[in-house]
Amino acid sequence: MPSAERRYRATALDRVFADTRIVTAVGPVRGLDVGRTRRTLTAAEQVGTEAHLALEPRSDARLWRYRTGIAGDNVSASTDPTDDLGKMLTDIRSRHGERSPLDVVVFDDHLAIDYSHGIGDGQIGVMMLAAFCDDADESLVPGLAVGLPASATWKALWRHYSRNPKTLADFWKLRGRHRTEADGESAPRRRIENWEAAKVSRAAYMSRARVDELKHWTAEHMPGATAASISIALWSAALRAEGVDVAEHIMVLFNSRRYLDSAQQNSHGNFAVGIPLHLPSGTSPVGITATMREVIESGWPIAVLAMSLLRDAASRVRPVARSQTDSVVEVPETLRLAVSDLGRVRVFDHLDWFDDGRPPQMAASLEPDGPDGCTMLIAEIAGGRTYTASFCSKMIDVAVIDSALQRMCEDPVALLHHE
């Protein structure tokens, strides 16, 4: 007799990310409680037999099971300090012991989640933070159970290109224009041992006053530039000002849910893709905005997802190779950037923030895909922005990243003015 147990058919992107972790945190928040968080997690699991946050990701299988009883020892309390968000994320990521697909750490005034990227991208991470902090009216719990339907990619692809057939040609042209080239044999290289153990996150805060100043200045001098394009320009400029050799191709994260019908845009899974864009030094936020708009209008992000499905259908499932803890890798001296800007995060508006002088913040550690990678996540809450950089400290010193973050957050206008 076939099993009646329901299974989830993982996409190629799900399996690629199954062994990768996202660690994210929010605070300072009043009224956090381990028991209440466990009850919220249990309620989310019980919404249906296919609650998306209950998945058990596996890189070596196409069919994943839904776990039961997911709220237990994986929800724990901590009295560790929370003043340094970057250190808090790093400590959570590097702690000893087995990981469950979803772990929650409840501090006195912050809540953090360490989960498998296979469960979903940043969208489910943000929603889980908001619900596990406070879902008194039970409005957030049902949404945590909703996964993207298996047909989501093909429907989104048809929805975009049937309405805009000419953009298919635009996609191929753009892809060729931004194609990355292999480094020459003469390019400087660095040998790094045990790089995964040296992953570090650092976080910095741009005050509401500085954000307002930046918005007013860019509106006057760089009309049309988006907040995301400004963040990309600021971060690359800050690193270069510290003497860091930054690659001209920057990986920009695009949420492909924009191509879905509005009824499916809040569904969870891995539906955001990174696109490497050629953005050499001196590219203005206006130029970055124009490039990002071209990418979106061409359908490049959803085309990437469709191509990954086609390749996956023709291949055998194999576990994703993970770096050994004692491995030695050789990489270019140039730092590769990946940037994800969440923009204004409004799902935390219902939280009761501590009024202790610290601003409301959300930080997140996104694992770099190699020692020469550096990921950046930006989230705006209550007018202020938090910037979280994750990188290999054997590739670039923590002090250099801290200095670049400080430079960017204390005087962003000066950075853009001199670009």
Side-chain angles (χ1 to χ4, degrees), residues 38-55:
R38 285 189 180 129
R39 290 191 294 274
T40 302
L41 187 51
T42 298
E45 173 198 338
Q46 294 175 346
V47 168
T49 57
E50 300 177 15
H52 202 76
L53 84 174
L55 283 173

Side-chain angles (χ1 to χ4, degrees), residues 14 17-19 54-61 64-65 67 101-102 116-120:
D14 291 334
F17 288 138
D19 297 324
L55 283 173
E56 183 176 61
R58 290 182 54 183
S59 61
D60 61 347
W64 293 355
R65 75 182 188 94
R67 299 178 299 130
L102 171 59
S116 165
H117 200 327
I119 291 176

Side-chain angles (χ1 to χ4, degrees), residues 6 59 127 133 137 169 186 195 264 331 360:
R6 300 302 298 269
S59 61
M127 292 297 295
C133 280
D137 62 0
S186 61
W195 79 271
Q264 295 181 337
V331 294

Side-chain angles (χ1 to χ4, degrees), residues 261-291:
D261 182 88
S262 58
Q264 295 181 337
Q265 289 182 2
N266 290 322
S267 302
H268 301 302
N270 284 292
F271 218 65
V273 296
I275 306 286
L277 302 181
H278 187 228
L279 302 172
S281 175
T283 305
S284 71
V286 175
I288 297 173
T289 296
T291 297

